[in-house]
Amino acid sequence: MSLWSRGHKIGVTSAWRQEPVTLLLVIHPQSFEEILTMLSSTFRRAATAAASRSNATTNIAQRTMAMGPAQGGEISDELLAKLGSLSTQALVDGLWVMGWPAAQIDGARPLHPSHKCVGRAVTLNFVPARPDIAQDKPPGGESPEYEAFEKCGPNEVLVMSSVGPWESIGGDIKFLRLKQRNIGGLVSDGSVRDTDEIIKYGFPCFSYSTTARQGPAAMQPWECNGVVSVSGVTVRPGDAIVGDQDGVVVVPAKVAETVYNIAHGREEIEEIVKEELIKNPGPPGIYYPFMSGKVKVDSPLGKLLATKGITPENSNQFEGSADW
């Protein structure tokens, strides 16, 4: 649209269906300048509003594409080893005390009684099979699953998010590479094939079950090291994964140090309580259960801990000493 003037005439030309249409106005001389100013101002406001709407649309499109960082923090080798020294139940208790959501992957059980793992999560997400997914997924050795394999070593646990508990995430040929990488562990809410061979490989494996099914018929590996949901539990790359005979626990990297301090303090107290009950048999209710950060100094448990040198000055388990 354009605005023009000749003498006392004002014209507005606009394209309508790709053909120019001109509106001609004949204005009294005294009103000419006033009306011209008014129309110019109106067109400027309309142009500004249109640009504003365009920017808003662009911003909305950008926001819908926004994504937070996949990884939530860093865990040192030293802290990783300390987390691995604790039981999964102590870690669950530590997260529960902090008010964090459930962290146990209920759909992952040890493939062998000897299996125990600790490592930083490397994640792999599977999606339901579809022809275009199979076509668009990087082929062969460039596949996301093999990318994930190569990121794993002794301090990593591969976490594979399946589309269903009975679907196969892999078997002996694929997982031979995990043995070669000396992986810290494999965890999935799906199932594995070739169970005997995988047990022989020696790396810890936690899965929903075992199966003879083929995986590609049901799902395709789609993304390496994104945020995944495994049995309803969120796992971010770099989170600590700890597994034992009671199951698998995810310790978020962002709070791993705090979780360790709480869980370690709880295990110390539980050992003291157990030792006391062995020496003086009786119902454990006098000392147990207890809430971390809520132990009263003058309670039976508080007095027992004092005899072992554990006080609010050196423990975060007492009332008023919680540091989380």
Side-chain angles (χ1 to χ4, degrees):
M1 180 179 291
S2 62
L3 176 68
W4 53 269
S5 65
R6 293 193 189 96
H8 297 154
K9 300 177 182 179
I10 297 177
V12 180
T13 300
S14 177
W16 174 254
R17 294 182 180 176
Q18 299 181 342
E19 296 181 3
V21 177
T22 301
L23 174 65
L24 181 64
L25 304 176
V26 180
I27 308 297
H28 190 278
Q30 294 179 344
S31 306
F32 179 78
E33 294 298 333
E34 180 181 345
I35 293 177
L36 183 61
T37 301
M38 178 186 69
L39 287 172
S40 297
S41 175
T42 300
F43 284 125
R44 281 196 300 271
R45 287 198 299 271
T48 301
S52 176
R53 287 193 297 271
S54 176
N55 290 337
T57 302
T58 301
N59 289 338
I60 290 172
Q62 289 173 346
R63 284 199 297 272
T64 59
M65 295 296 289
M67 183 181 297
Q71 190 160 334
E74 299 284 344
I75 297 178
S76 67
D77 289 347
E78 179 185 5
L79 178 55
L80 192 65
K82 291 196 294 185
L83 290 166
S85 71
L86 300 177
S87 65
T88 52
Q89 49 284 30
L91 295 171
V92 165
D93 290 350
L95 284 161
W96 174 73
V97 166
M98 294 174 63
W100 280 63
Q104 177 164 325
I105 300 176
D106 291 325
R109 306 299 305 165
L111 199 60
H112 188 272
S114 65
H115 287 181
K116 181 174 182 178
C117 73
V118 59
R120 302 178 192 88
V122 172
T123 65
L124 178 66
N125 191 42
F126 284 88
V127 296
R130 212 170 73 173
D132 59 329
I133 291 289
Q135 292 166 3
D136 293 343
K137 178 180 71 68
E142 301 301 315
S143 172
E145 63 184 327
Y146 299 130
E147 178 188 2
F149 287 10
E150 298 308 306
K151 291 181 181 293
C152 293
N155 284 331
E156 282 75 41
V157 171
L158 179 58
V159 180
M160 305 174 83
S161 177
S162 175
V163 302
W166 295 108
E167 305 304 340
S168 170
I169 59 168
D172 65 335
I173 300 298
K174 286 184 178 180
F175 294 157
L176 173 61
R177 183 56 180 157
L178 299 183
K179 175 190 177 183
Q180 294 169 343
R181 298 290 301 172
N182 195 25
I183 190 173
L186 170 64
V187 170
S188 179
D189 53 357
S191 295
V192 295
R193 305 174 75 192
D194 306 311
T195 307
D196 291 341
E197 288 300 313
I198 294 175
I199 291 174
K200 289 178 185 177
Y201 287 163
F203 61 79
C205 180
F206 295 76
S207 64
Y208 181 82
S209 188
T210 59
T211 184
R213 293 185 182 186
Q214 292 183 336
M219 59 185 184
Q220 290 284 329
W222 187 249
E223 182 187 17
C224 169
N225 264 358
V227 179
V228 298
S229 172
V230 186
S231 290
V233 175
T234 299
V235 183
R236 300 176 76 176
D239 285 348
I241 307 297
V242 181
D244 59 21
Q245 289 305 296
D246 288 329
V248 178
V249 174
V250 182
V251 181
K254 187 162 292 203
V255 293
E257 186 78 48
T258 303
V259 172
Y260 171 77
N261 290 335
I262 297 172
H264 177 63
R266 286 185 64 86
E267 284 212 332
E268 282 188 326
I269 292 177
E270 290 183 356
E271 284 299 317
I272 291 171
V273 168
K274 185 176 179 180
E275 179 183 299
E276 178 65 20
L277 292 173
I278 291 173
K279 286 169 50 179
N280 299 293
I286 187 173
Y287 306 119
Y288 188 87
F290 65 92
M291 173 69 81
S292 294
K294 300 290 185 181
V295 176
K296 296 182 181 297
V297 174
D298 59 352
S299 67
L301 177 57
K303 293 176 181 177
L304 172 63
L305 295 177
T307 66
K308 305 296 182 179
I310 298 179
T311 67
E313 284 68 39
N314 58 26
S315 173
N316 62 4
Q317 303 292 309
F318 289 86
E319 194 172 62
S321 69
D323 53 3
W324 57 86

